[in-house]
Amino acid sequence: MRDHGGVSRKPFALAGLVAGLAGIAVSHAVTMLLTLRATPLLAVAEAVIEYTPGSVAEALIQLVGRYDKPLLVAGVTLVVLGLSALAGVLAGRRPVLGQLVFVAMGAVGFVAMWTRPGSSVYDVLPVVAGTITWLVVLSFLVDFLVDHPAPADEPAARRATTDPATTDPATDVANPARRGFLIRAGAVAGGALVIGVIGQFAGQARRNVETARRLLRLPVTRGFVRPGATLEVEGLEPWRTSNPDFYRIDTALVVPTVDPGEWRLRIHGMVEQEVVVSYRDLLDRELTEAWVTLCCVSNEVGGDLIGNAWWSGVRIADLLAEAGIAPDADAVLQTSADDWTCGTPLTALTDGRNAMLAIAMNGEPLPVEHGFPVRMVVPGLYGYVSATKWVVDLEVTRFDRISAYWTERGWGERGPVRTQSRIDVPRNGAEVAAGMRKIGGVAWAQQTGLEKVEYRLDGDDWKEATLGRVPNLDTWVQWAALVDVPHGRHTLAVRATDLSGYTQTSVRRGVVPDGATGWHTIEFTAE
């Protein structure tokens, strides 16, 4: 065993860190060259998502919102780099110890890649290439440092008068050994950067799909916002949610890239005959278009995981009718291109609501992040049981025969969207001018419709708000009111009553297992 013997550990940590970066870059480049869906880093992050308990995952989503995936990937990367630095320090004492750290990390990456649905030998090649790079670069840099030992923390004045062969190559500017180490480390780091950039450019799959999307000219419209849908309240959320602003919640760390020319949807299971349709088949069919609000079950009271858009597509009921549904079927298991699954009540796809295989959003081909080329849109159901992006398979079945991604993690089976309301103006914690103020927000009661929205200031009597005019029961509704707000601190609450006569309960409950309940209540100050 080697002993640092007072030699600084910093250069060895730097050697391990550079080796770690080089391995990550090589594995990324191989992934791109093979046009695989996920790098080893992302596969490990997906494994973290897969094995994280539902309650923990939900808590993290609530904590960081739409930044959950970037933060997870960043966290995995930092762990890898930290272990790489540790490998360098251990290798300075005994080479096999540092090598074992990298081999262990490679094994974790191998398992994460190999156990992904549909994986093959090609999927693990980036892990193998990255691990080999780790070991080679670590040996290259650490061997140099070992051959040029130096005492740690020696004063600069003394280092200037001592033998260059005994100075610290990580701290002595004038030392050729230091320059030699930094040249080697810099060359490796620069090479890793170049390899990573080349690999990124080599990944043509996403760009090819984006190009195909841009060239599409679909026979769809952009949707007309009828007069009265949008109320005149400054700061109110737009009635139509733009594509870039539409919320995105899914489990895909790497967005699937599906060429529309190669896309196929298979309808099978408890049917009289299997049906397979292509993208061209969909375009040749009669299209339906409608305003539909989508809502995530993770949307807390007052949350923003909801949006309203004009969707264009093919009615799924027509395709299911062609397949011929068995009379005892009660569910459809949806599967995406990245093998995510959800179970949908069959009645929600066949009861006359505008459930569709959507191909366009607000008059444009679906954004890749929102399911291009085809996704499911089912009014009245939370997304976790209905809104499969990149959908490729529909199995007609029974609930007692299937399990799906989120229901396996403790969420409800059927997921109807709850009647809810939200305050947008003023914002929680805002400071506003005292006097007559416009307040407002949105409310929704899909498949039922809203009877009224009420608000109350500082616990006074409930007062009815003005509602916007909407084209159907499946969109949210803007509400507004003019309120005399005196000086001081205030509390504002809102509740909705739907056409069934149900009024939102005041009982606050979290999103698990089937959606949050309670009145949205905010505090603000009038100056």
Side-chain angles (χ1 to χ4, degrees):
M1 178 183 292
R2 294 179 182 135
D3 188 353
H4 286 294
V7 175
S8 173
R9 296 180 180 181
K10 294 179 182 178
F12 292 95
L14 178 59
L17 184 61
V18 171
L21 288 170
I24 292 172
V26 169
S27 66
H28 177 80
V30 173
T31 300
M32 296 299 104
L33 288 170
L34 296 177
T35 63
L36 302 177
R37 194 182 72 83
T39 65
L41 274 177
L42 293 174
V44 171
E46 286 183 331
V48 172
I49 293 177
E50 179 71 22
Y51 292 105
T52 298
S55 59
V56 176
E58 179 55 38
L60 292 174
I61 289 175
Q62 297 304 326
L63 180 64
V64 299
R66 65 188 65 184
Y67 301 106
D68 57 337
K69 296 178 184 67
L71 287 174
L72 175 58
V73 174
V76 171
T77 303
L78 288 175
V79 169
V80 170
L81 294 179
L83 290 174
S84 298
L86 175 63
V89 173
L90 294 176
R93 291 182 174 275
R94 188 174 182 182
V96 69
L97 296 178
Q99 293 167 357
L100 284 175
V101 173
F102 279 130
V103 169
M105 288 198 295
V108 171
F110 186 99
V111 172
M113 294 291 280
W114 186 254
T115 55
R116 292 180 62 253
S119 64
S120 68
V121 65
Y122 293 102
D123 293 271
V124 300
L125 289 180
V127 178
V128 174
T131 304
I132 292 174
T133 302
W134 280 339
L135 298 176
V136 170
V137 174
L138 181 68
S139 178
F140 173 69
L141 295 177
V142 169
D143 285 351
F144 178 85
L145 289 171
V146 170
D147 291 339
H148 298 78
D153 303 322
E154 187 175 9
R158 183 178 175 185
R159 287 202 309 269
T161 62
T162 55
D163 184 352
T166 65
T167 54
D168 189 342
T171 57
D172 186 5
V173 176
N175 195 332
R178 174 188 181 274
R179 291 199 302 272
F181 170 73
L182 291 181
I183 288 172
R184 285 165 171 76
V188 171
L193 178 62
V194 171
I195 290 172
V197 171
I198 291 175
Q200 186 64 36
F201 279 106
Q204 294 291 334
R206 171 64 183 255
R207 290 192 297 278
N208 290 343
V209 169
E210 288 284 12
T211 299
R213 177 183 176 274
R214 285 195 302 270
L215 293 176
L216 281 174
R217 296 295 181 267
L218 301 180
V220 300
T221 65
R222 190 173 183 274
F224 173 71
V225 179
R226 64 183 296 177
T230 299
L231 301 180
E232 299 300 323
V233 180
E234 185 178 354
L236 196 59
E237 188 80 9
W239 188 77
R240 181 210 295 265
T241 308
S242 68
N243 292 358
D245 291 335
F246 209 94
Y247 79 95
R248 178 195 164 202
I249 294 291
D250 52 56
T251 63
L253 286 170
V254 180
V255 176
T257 49
V258 182
D259 188 320
E262 299 176 358
W263 177 86
R264 297 292 185 275
L265 175 73
R266 180 186 177 215
I267 302 175
H268 62 106
M270 299 174 66
V271 297
E272 296 176 2
Q273 61 180 356
E274 182 174 306
V275 173
V276 178
V277 294
S278 67
Y279 195 72
R280 184 71 258 172
D281 293 334
L282 291 184
L283 297 185
D284 289 340
R285 291 173 176 268
E286 180 181 358
L287 297 182
T288 184
E289 297 185 292
W291 291 104
V292 179
T293 295
L294 297 185
C295 183
C296 180
V297 72
S298 295
N299 198 39
E300 292 278 6
V301 173
D304 62 356
L305 300 181
I306 183 171
N308 186 53
W310 176 255
W311 303 93
S312 309
V314 172
R315 287 174 55 86
I316 189 62
D318 296 340
L319 292 170
L320 293 175
E322 290 179 19
I325 303 169
D328 55 339
D330 66 359
V332 172
L333 183 67
Q334 304 182 26
T335 304
S336 70
D338 63 345
D339 295 299
W340 184 83
T341 56
C342 76
T344 307
L346 180 60
T347 54
L349 304 178
T350 58
D351 63 2
R353 73 184 73 187
N354 218 352
M356 69 177 82
L357 288 166
I359 61 172
M361 180 180 183
N362 287 324
E364 302 176 359
L366 291 172
V368 174
E369 290 79 8
H370 287 285
F372 180 81
V374 183
R375 68 168 294 165
M376 290 286 288
V377 170
V378 184
L381 296 183
Y382 286 120
Y384 82 103
V385 295
S386 66
T388 303
K389 302 169 186 174
W390 319 288
V391 62
V392 295
D393 190 275
L394 299 178
E395 179 186 358
V396 180
T397 181
R398 294 185 53 82
F399 276 113
D400 57 13
R401 299 178 185 177
I402 62 172
S403 61
Y405 186 89
W406 282 112
T407 51
E408 289 174 349
R409 289 158 173 78
W411 295 77
E413 192 173 66
R414 311 219 169 213
V417 176
R418 294 182 178 275
T419 297
Q420 274 285 5
S421 54
R422 186 183 79 193
I423 301 168
D424 288 346
V425 181
R427 299 291 180 181
N428 191 39
E431 294 183 358
V432 303
M436 299 302 293
R437 302 289 308 175
K438 284 186 177 180
I439 64 171
V442 290
W444 55 94
Q446 288 187 312
Q447 288 292 291
T448 305
L450 287 169
E451 177 185 336
K452 61 182 177 180
V453 172
E454 299 170 292
Y455 66 92
R456 71 177 182 185
L457 187 67
D458 300 327
D460 290 342
D461 293 338
W462 290 99
K463 298 180 180 179
E464 192 166 338
T466 299
L467 298 183
R469 299 172 60 193
V470 294
N472 60 53
L473 302 180
D474 293 324
T475 74
W476 62 10
V477 179
Q478 291 186 345
W479 64 269
L482 189 62
V483 181
D484 188 4
V485 181
H487 290 276
R489 190 165 183 81
H490 303 285
T491 299
L492 178 66
V494 65
R495 69 181 185 184
T497 300
D498 62 35
L499 291 174
S500 74
Y502 168 77
T503 299
Q504 280 183 255
T505 176
S506 62
V507 177
R508 291 296 290 263
R509 195 187 74 175
V511 299
V512 181
D514 54 6
T517 66
W519 301 334
H520 187 206
T521 304
I522 67 161
E523 293 183 348
F524 68 99
T525 302
E527 300 292 341

